Amino acid sequence: ALSTLRVSLARGDRETVTQCTHDLKSSSGYVGATGLADIFAAMERAARTGDLARITAMLPGAEAGYGPVCDRLRRRLDKGTKT
């Protein structure tokens, strides 16, 4: 979803950007990454108002938080499969 967000931003596709930020917000919240969910929520609000420049400015912070969350999830999943 993050790669789709990047491509959609570059294309100026507000509808897809809105959907991606919504999905990323929801997924982040579901796995307990509330700080990341908050970032994506702010990005979703900006998308709904058409402020794609704000989302572009926020993207590096979201990417910085996204990677570590994915890494932690992978480690937890790996632990669960090695029982």
Side-chain angles (χ1 to χ4, degrees):
L2 198 54
S3 59
T4 303
L5 175 58
R6 280 188 223 103
V7 170
S8 300
L9 269 174
R11 291 181 179 161
D13 181 351
R14 179 178 163 189
E15 184 178 326
T16 303
V17 168
T18 302
Q19 187 62 54
C20 285
T21 54
H22 174 79
D23 292 348
L24 287 161
K25 173 195 71 176
S26 299
S27 298
S28 298
Y30 182 76
V31 299
T34 56
L36 190 57
D38 290 344
I39 292 170
F40 287 122
M43 293 171 80
E44 181 183 9
R45 286 190 299 275
R48 291 190 186 285
T49 64
D51 193 352
L52 300 185
R54 178 167 166 73
I55 297 166
T56 300
M58 295 176 75
L59 189 56
E63 290 173 324
Y66 186 82
V69 167
C70 289
D71 290 343
R72 283 193 300 272
L73 287 171
R74 279 187 206 98
R75 284 193 303 272
R76 290 191 79 176
L77 289 171
D78 287 346
K79 275 185 175 180
T81 60
K82 296 179 183 176
T83 55

